[in-house]
Amino acid sequence: MAALAGVSTGTVSKALNGRGSLHPDTRRRVQQAAEQLGFVANAAARSLHTGRTYTVGMITTDTIGRFSIPLLIGAEDALGAGRMSVFLCDARDDVIREQYYLRTLLSRNVDGIIVTGRRTQARAPIGAGLPVPVVYAFISSTDPDDCSVVPDEADGARRAVQHLLAAGRRRIAHITGPEHHHSATVRARAATETLAAEGLSLAAPVLYGEWSEAWGRQAADMLLSTATGVDAVFCGSDQIARGVAEALRDAGRDIPRDVALVGFDNWDVMVDASRPPLTSIDMDLEGIGRSAAELLLAAINGDPVHGPQMRPCRLIPRASTAMG
Amino acid sequence: MAALAGVSTGTVSKALNGRGSLHPDTRRRVQQAAEQLGFVANAAARSLHTGRTYTVGMITTDTIGRFSIPLLIGAEDALGAGRMSVFLCDARDDVIREQYYLRTLLSRNVDGIIVTGRRTQARAPIGAGLPVPVVYAFISSTDPDDCSVVPDEADGARRAVQHLLAAGRRRIAHITGPEHHHSATVRARAATETLAAEGLSLAAPVLYGEWSEAWGRQAADMLLSTATGVDAVFCGSDQIARGVAEALRDAGRDIPRDVALVGFDNWDVMVDASRPPLTSIDMDLEGIGRSAAELLLAAINGDPVHGPQMRPCRLIPRASTAMG
DNA sequence: AAACTGAAGGAAATCGATTGCCTGCACGCT
DNA sequence: AGCGTGCAGGCAATCGATTTCCTTCAGTTT
């Protein structure tokens, strides 16, 4: 490489990185030679000298990828501009695996780490006194000093309920996931409080169950047989909402005329295939991934941000709550 | 580090890597010191010397992750044992992005590259004369010399049809995705040929459409109004199958008594939530990922395998074809 | 013409771990 | 006592790029 351009390796480095003072002709000659040979600097050698690897690790516990893929895409967007690459590690809900990956990432001298998961519930910090900055995305850390980027699920639930209220609904039910699941309780509480602020309350006690369509169908049947006059259901997930939609359909209720329906997650597979398509709350996972990556970059550059960062949700209206 | 154990850096290296001849006590002392300091060797420095990075790149065009996540998990399984890490790059169906990622991976001196995508159709090789081995997973390369690990979709279709035949069905229809989609035509042809081998033919011409539930519903309605006596439908995807299930249900047909149903992909979200749960063909994506990684490792170690490797499918029976 | 200035680019140290080579020392043999 | 044998561990070269320092030389100034 250096030989082809007839200069020393030091000069090559200066030419390609725009350092030092070189004759424009020399610079051009080196660049041409590099082009011709398809020369790309060895990242290992470079990082050895600079102390940076332009690499970040992403540790996820979400095997399915439904949440972590959008987060990854968002993060890649923000990092790609800084020419950084991402090591994706799937810890599969296993603490041993997680610690193994953590050590691996540290031995690779990543510049920073993003930790994500399937649930929004706060988790124990991945490690203490780590030599690199860590940002939690989607999930948060129990250490209030750690930087976390999380969706404001209460905000999402509020938007859902207010949307239903704006559509003139007053007898609203809530069907959601397991009571021990953080997201379920946060969303349920926010829904209850939003109604309370209007002097209303839920048309039935919150129905806690599973994050499945089967539970949505079952819960809807229970609602139909016990609660009267329910004119809207806010569901803790799109899967539950779709199950509810099917049960209501089977029972001959029209959506949205008789009962309006709002889901949560805005998962395309569910909202589009449901009959009718579902109005849903979008947590903007890509945006969360992007924010997390930006905060990580800031921390790497010496401007760390501490504490949890809440990001608002969006309501995506579809036929299941169509007004008119 | 070296100071704490009172030895030279060379000795530390030998102690931790089990090389050279050292006194057992010294070795132990060094290991303890390393433990105490949480010392892990700098991967960049090591790779500079050995020429290997113990890193592979995975370039995918499957933004959604439904196919690439299982592939990644399988690959991680096979690579993790060799202590290798994976750079995941999402090219998002963009050639420019793909080439950019390719260069990035090369500059990071990955030991090898796995290329995956959303469709099984053969694609142009990602690059010619690359300095590292490349294995295609799920998709294949148009260069017959490239190593590809792909699902044997024809085998899957055959199993589906034979399963229906074994259940005593004789008037079998096939609803699938777009005709220009490789998977759709391969599966349709294999289904037709399997029937032909038994002296039978499809109960209706292949219905090509989209990979969506909506198309499944629509096609099922068409079948109901035009074809008579259809007692089974083999669908090109689980989404289509679920749409068919809903339409049949709406029309009062019992599954599997009146019509048996087989899907393709064995996508848990669809097969479990469908009423009844769907019998489906599993392409064993994790296995494909694992195989691809193993073949890549072999190539890295100097034993390259050329040409496409077909992997058989599995039929997962569920209620939609329950016999009896 | 001598001295000065500054641009251009080469020489060599550096990053951290690995490894071949070599030395020093203890022990055993004659 | 003298010499050989072999283990333990230090020294220094090496990987490839970056960067500091320094040399060289052309052009300018007095």
Side-chain angles (χ1 to χ4, degrees):
Chain A
M1 166 65 208
L4 178 64
V7 294
S8 73
T9 65
T11 305
V12 170
S13 172
K14 288 171 195 160
L16 296 179
N17 295 300
R19 305 286 164 82
S21 79
L22 298 182
H23 195 93
D25 286 349
T26 309
R27 205 176 286 270
R28 216 170 304 127
R29 209 170 63 248
V30 172
Q31 283 166 345
Q32 276 177 5
E35 191 82 28
Q36 188 183 328
L37 272 65
F39 175 90
V40 255
N42 181 322
R46 168 178 291 161
S47 92
L48 192 53
H49 193 268
T50 62
R52 283 197 49 183
T53 55
Y54 292 90
T55 286
V56 309
M58 185 159 170
I59 296 183
T60 174
T61 59
D62 172 25
T63 313
I64 309 156
R66 199 168 109 222
F67 299 113
S68 49
I69 289 289
L71 290 166
L72 172 69
I73 291 180
E76 258 196 338
D77 264 354
L79 295 169
R83 327 220 112 216
M84 304 187 73
S85 302
V86 181
F87 276 119
L88 184 61
C89 308
D90 186 343
R92 303 182 206 179
D93 266 328
D94 178 346
V95 180
I96 309 281
R97 259 194 131 77
E98 186 173 283
Q99 288 303 311
Y100 163 74
Y101 277 126
L102 180 58
R103 296 178 70 111
T104 305
L105 290 176
L106 292 180
S107 85
R108 291 188 183 280
N109 284 55
V110 292
D111 294 336
I113 295 175
I114 297 177
V115 179
T116 73
R118 197 172 49 230
R119 322 166 117 228
T120 51
Q121 183 150 30
R123 52 156 288 161
I126 194 165
L130 295 178
V132 296
V134 176
V135 171
Y136 296 78
F138 193 62
I139 61 171
S140 59
S141 163
T142 48
D143 181 341
D145 217 40
D146 284 337
C147 178
S148 317
V149 185
V150 297
D152 188 342
E153 301 180 87
D155 169 71
R158 201 176 307 121
R159 284 169 197 267
V161 170
Q162 279 168 349
H163 177 69
L164 290 171
L165 289 173
R169 310 298 162 134
R170 288 297 175 271
R171 297 191 54 75
I172 302 175
H174 184 48
I175 304 176
T176 189
E179 190 161 8
H180 60 75
H181 200 293
H182 179 251
S183 291
T185 55
V186 166
R187 295 172 192 177
R189 189 177 331 118
T192 308
E193 287 172 2
T194 307
L195 282 172
E198 300 287 326
L200 298 169
S201 59
L202 282 172
V206 174
L207 288 163
Y208 289 103
E210 295 170 16
W211 298 114
S212 72
E213 292 187 50
W215 163 241
R217 290 195 293 259
Q218 186 186 335
D221 286 338
M222 287 165 59
L223 266 190
L224 285 171
S225 63
T226 60
T228 57
V230 168
D231 57 12
V233 183
F234 166 42
C235 299
S237 82
D238 288 332
Q239 277 174 283
I240 290 174
R242 184 167 181 191
V244 171
E246 289 191 5
L248 291 175
R249 199 160 186 283
D250 287 353
R253 306 299 169 97
D254 185 273
I255 302 173
R257 200 193 60 210
D258 301 331
V259 181
L261 215 50
V262 178
F264 209 108
D265 289 344
N266 195 35
W267 187 16
D268 52 0
V269 175
M270 288 293 139
V271 296
D272 294 334
S274 180
R275 286 181 293 174
L278 294 170
T279 295
S280 190
I281 301 297
D282 190 315
M283 294 186 283
D284 188 20
L285 295 173
E286 254 186 73
I288 289 177
R290 205 173 311 118
S291 286
E294 282 162 2
L295 289 170
L296 187 63
L297 284 177
I300 290 171
N301 294 324
D303 292 317
V305 172
H306 297 283
Q309 315 289 316
M310 292 273 214
R311 307 243 334 163
C313 294
R314 279 195 316 251
L315 182 135
I316 312 292
R318 292 197 184 79
S320 73
T321 58
M323 321 238 186
Chain B
M1 166 63 208
L4 177 63
V7 295
S8 74
T9 65
T11 305
V12 169
S13 172
K14 287 170 193 161
L16 297 178
N17 295 299
R19 305 289 164 81
S21 78
L22 298 182
H23 193 93
D25 287 350
T26 310
R27 205 175 285 271
R28 214 170 305 127
R29 207 169 66 246
V30 172
Q31 282 166 346
Q32 275 178 7
E35 191 81 28
Q36 188 182 329
L37 272 66
F39 175 89
V40 255
N42 181 323
R46 168 178 291 160
S47 92
L48 192 53
H49 193 267
T50 63
R52 286 199 46 186
T53 54
Y54 291 91
T55 287
V56 309
M58 185 159 168
I59 297 183
T60 175
T61 59
D62 170 25
T63 315
I64 310 156
R66 197 169 110 222
F67 298 113
S68 49
I69 289 290
L71 290 166
L72 172 68
I73 291 180
E76 259 197 337
D77 264 354
L79 296 169
R83 329 216 113 220
M84 305 189 71
S85 303
V86 180
F87 276 119
L88 184 61
C89 308
D90 187 343
R92 302 182 207 178
D93 266 326
D94 177 346
V95 180
I96 311 281
R97 260 191 130 78
E98 187 173 284
Q99 288 303 311
Y100 163 75
Y101 277 126
L102 181 59
R103 297 178 69 110
T104 305
L105 290 176
L106 292 180
S107 85
R108 291 186 184 281
N109 283 52
V110 292
D111 294 334
I113 296 176
I114 296 177
V115 180
T116 74
R118 197 171 49 228
R119 323 167 114 225
T120 52
Q121 183 148 30
R123 51 156 288 161
I126 194 167
L130 296 178
V132 296
V134 176
V135 171
Y136 296 79
F138 193 63
I139 61 172
S140 59
S141 162
T142 48
D143 182 341
D145 217 41
D146 284 338
C147 179
S148 317
V149 185
V150 298
D152 187 341
E153 301 180 87
D155 169 71
R158 201 175 308 121
R159 283 169 198 267
V161 171
Q162 278 167 349
H163 177 71
L164 290 170
L165 290 173
R169 310 299 162 132
R170 287 297 175 272
R171 297 193 54 76
I172 302 175
H174 184 47
I175 303 175
T176 191
E179 191 161 8
H180 60 76
H181 200 293
H182 180 251
S183 291
T185 55
V186 167
R187 295 171 193 178
R189 188 174 334 116
T192 308
E193 287 172 2
T194 306
L195 283 172
E198 301 286 327
L200 299 168
S201 60
L202 282 172
V206 174
L207 288 163
Y208 289 103
E210 296 170 16
W211 298 114
S212 71
E213 291 187 51
W215 162 241
R217 291 195 292 260
Q218 188 186 333
D221 286 339
M222 289 164 58
L223 266 190
L224 286 170
S225 63
T226 61
T228 56
V230 168
D231 58 11
V233 183
F234 166 42
C235 299
S237 81
D238 289 332
Q239 277 174 283
I240 290 175
R242 185 169 180 188
V244 171
E246 289 190 4
L248 291 176
R249 200 162 185 282
D250 286 354
R253 306 298 169 97
D254 185 88
I255 303 173
R257 202 193 59 209
D258 302 332
V259 181
L261 215 51
V262 178
F264 209 111
D265 289 345
N266 196 33
W267 187 15
D268 52 0
V269 175
M270 287 293 137
V271 296
D272 293 335
S274 180
R275 285 180 294 175
L278 293 170
T279 294
S280 189
I281 302 295
D282 189 314
M283 295 186 283
D284 188 20
L285 295 172
E286 255 185 73
I288 290 177
R290 205 174 310 119
S291 285
E294 282 161 2
L295 289 171
L296 187 64
L297 286 177
I300 291 171
N301 293 324
D303 292 318
V305 173
H306 298 283
Q309 315 289 316
M310 291 272 215
R311 307 245 333 162
C313 295
R314 278 196 317 250
L315 181 136
I316 311 293
R318 292 198 184 78
S320 72
T321 59
M323 322 241 185

